[in-house]
Amino acid sequence: MIETVVALLMFVNGEIKEARYQPEGMAKCIRGKLTAERQYSETISYKCYKGKAELEKNIDGSLSIKKLILE
């Protein structure tokens, strides 16, 4: 299913390596970003993204991002 989502993106050397769905919204995403950035690394950065993504259901019923739709 394709929906508008808020996601926390992890970039390694400028390339998206991980996208975490944040169902609680942008505030929760920004808190997660600040927490992750406490572990400083020159090659890793984090950004919050609001846009469309294809979601899939996990075995436990939670949702995860299968694919980002960048427009």
Side-chain angles (χ1 to χ4, degrees), residues 5-67:
V5 299
V6 173
L8 177 58
L9 305 179
M10 180 176 78
F11 291 85
V12 178
N13 293 322
E15 186 177 318
I16 298 173
K17 288 294 180 183
E18 188 174 338
R20 292 276 177 135
Y21 176 52
Q22 302 292 310
E24 296 88 6
M26 189 60 79
K28 178 78 172 183
C29 182
I30 292 170
R31 277 194 295 273
K33 176 182 181 283
L34 292 173
T35 301
E37 286 177 338
R38 288 185 188 141
Q39 297 286 326
Y40 176 75
S41 174
E42 231 176 78
T43 59
I44 299 174
S45 64
Y46 299 90
K47 291 191 172 45
C48 290
Y49 164 79
K50 184 174 184 178
K52 294 194 182 274
E54 185 176 334
L55 300 176
E56 65 182 351
K57 274 199 174 183
N58 297 321
I59 293 172
D60 64 357
S62 64
L63 295 173
S64 64
I65 295 175
K66 183 176 182 181
K67 177 173 66 172

